[in-house]
Amino acid sequence: MPRYYLIVVLLTSVFVVNAQSKSDQASAAYDLALKNYRSRNLEEALTHIEAALELSQQPQYYYLNGLIFEAQEKDLRAVSAYEATLKLDPNYQEALFQKALIYLKYGDPKQAIRDFNLLIDMGVSFTRGVYFESDAYGSKGTSLATLANLEGKFYYYRAQANSKLGDYDAALKDFNVSIELDSASDYYMGRGLLYQKMKEPQLAINDFRRAVMQDSTNQLAWYNLALVYPGVELPEELLADNTFSPTLGLLASEAMTNGNYQKAIRYWSQALETDKEPLHFINRGRAYAKIKKYDLARQDFLQARKLDPAHFECLYLIGNSYFFEKRFELAVSFYNQFLTVDPKNAMVWYNGAMSYLEMKQKEEACHYLNQANNLGMVQATEMIDKHCR
């Protein structure tokens, strides 16, 4: 009897040791997954968190699994992981928050509002330190959030969801609360965008100004301010930031659309100081051509071709610049170079015809007009009737 009792004790001890070992292994795998996630070794992180989940299904393991899936842009799988987290722990606010952000981002604002309502009803009680989140507006990318600013974020994101549903009154109330709780730059920018939807341009300008006062590096706030208030002067340190180059390109394009060619040139020139993008040269060349600075336009078109010979459109743009200077022989030479690459471009055939007409070379002009006409150029038909019948 004592011997049998001793065996039972030993077997029980072995079971306890194995259970402890299993839990320790899961915890160690989780720690490795978290370390790799933070250093953005995502495949390695996924391997370790899956190993942890095989050993022990803990809510924090599923939550980290969701974060890793989000970082890999596998958002549907991330939602499943967050839902598994909440099934084990319905009060796991971080998982609920991340799930709500995904629904907001991917077009289910009603579900996002339901989740944000739960978060607001719970109040801020996050106990798991800091965690990564993705900003829905994209001005900050992926960042760290802490307890200090989370309550404002609940209202800020719910405001976006209400705005997407067209409930501007509810959205405005939420933006106002978020700003009362934490006057962050993005909150002012979000409310400014809402004011634009509500056809309140001056209120939008005021909020975009507040946004850049709160954070002078907020590129989206500067961009939106420049769109609604073209006279704003962007700070030099922002213009010199190479990450701002794409935004400068957008502002330059907007300036071109509005006929503000000098401002467009300034923005593209600033963008080119940090990013020698061929399209920036082409677009600045177009702006120079608009203000009849054809030499400068050609320099930009040639530079674009030098950087990327595949930009054949530079050839007809150079041709156009010579045409407007009434240097028709040079214009035709560049049109012809372009037509060897793209012989089905009706507009260039037509422009060539206009050059030949200016040079009193009727036969060549009619040939080019017929080519343009065959390619569907309506204006060519009228010119054929006038000059080639």
Side-chain angles (χ1 to χ4, degrees), residues 23 78 138 203 242 355:
S23 175
L203 293 175
N242 59 4
S355 298

Side-chain angles (χ1 to χ4, degrees), residues 94-325:
E94 293 91 334
L96 185 59
F97 191 17
Q98 293 302 122
K99 180 166 77 79
L101 290 177
I102 293 175
Y103 281 124
L104 175 62
K105 182 179 178 182
Y106 286 100
D108 192 350
K110 289 183 179 179
Q111 180 59 51
I113 287 173
R114 285 192 284 268
D115 288 342
F116 287 125
N117 287 343
L118 287 173
L119 286 164
I120 289 168
D121 290 342
M122 289 180 191
V124 179
S125 60
F126 285 22
T127 58
R128 284 164 272 266
V130 297
Y131 66 100
F132 286 95
E133 64 156 344
S134 297
D135 173 39
Y137 276 128
S139 65
K140 298 296 182 185
T142 302
S143 60
L144 287 172
T146 65
L147 294 175
N149 57 16
L150 282 169
E151 190 175 4
K153 286 182 181 293
F154 295 165
Y155 287 96
Y156 165 65
Y157 286 119
R158 191 175 71 174
Q160 293 181 38
N162 278 313
S163 178
K164 286 187 175 183
L165 289 174
D167 191 345
Y168 295 161
D169 289 338
L172 184 58
K173 287 179 182 177
D174 278 345
F175 276 127
N176 290 340
V177 174
S178 71
I179 289 169
E180 287 175 10
L181 292 168
D182 178 19
S183 57
S185 176
D186 281 349
Y187 299 0
Y188 283 115
M189 188 182 70
R191 192 173 68 177
L193 292 171
L194 177 65
Y195 279 136
Q196 283 187 294
K197 290 182 178 181
M198 297 171 70
K199 311 299 182 185
E200 296 282 359
Q202 189 55 54
L203 293 175
I205 289 171
N206 293 343
D207 269 353
F208 293 145
R209 283 185 177 278
R210 292 186 183 104
V212 298
M213 286 176 65
Q214 289 284 348
D215 180 5
S216 63
T217 66
N218 191 328
Q219 295 187 14
L220 271 180
W222 279 112
Y223 172 68
N224 283 291
L225 178 59
L227 287 183
V228 296
Y229 185 56
V232 69
E233 290 295 323
L234 301 178
E236 290 300 323
E237 60 271 20
L238 187 66
L239 295 173
D241 184 350
N242 59 4
T243 65
F244 195 58
S245 177
T247 305
L248 282 170
L250 292 173
L251 289 172
S253 296
E254 186 71 19
M256 278 286 285
T257 300
N258 294 330
N260 195 336
Y261 305 122
Q262 294 286 3
K263 177 163 282 190
I265 289 166
R266 181 189 171 207
Y267 285 149
W268 272 312
S269 297
Q270 196 68 50
L272 282 164
E273 287 190 11
T274 55
D275 182 12
K276 303 300 183 186
E277 164 61 46
L279 279 174
H280 289 342
F281 280 108
I282 292 171
N283 287 324
R284 189 176 69 175
R286 290 177 185 271
Y288 277 132
K290 288 288 187 180
I291 59 173
K292 301 182 180 181
K293 293 188 176 181
Y294 300 117
D295 284 343
L296 293 175
R298 284 192 290 272
Q299 288 177 28
D300 276 352
F301 298 145
L302 289 169
Q303 183 62 30
R305 281 272 289 160
K306 182 178 179 181
L307 291 169
D308 185 356
H311 281 289
F312 298 109
E313 70 270 30
C314 293
L315 295 171
Y316 77 75
L317 290 171
I318 293 171
N320 287 346
S321 73
Y322 282 125
F323 181 89
F324 290 122
E325 288 183 327

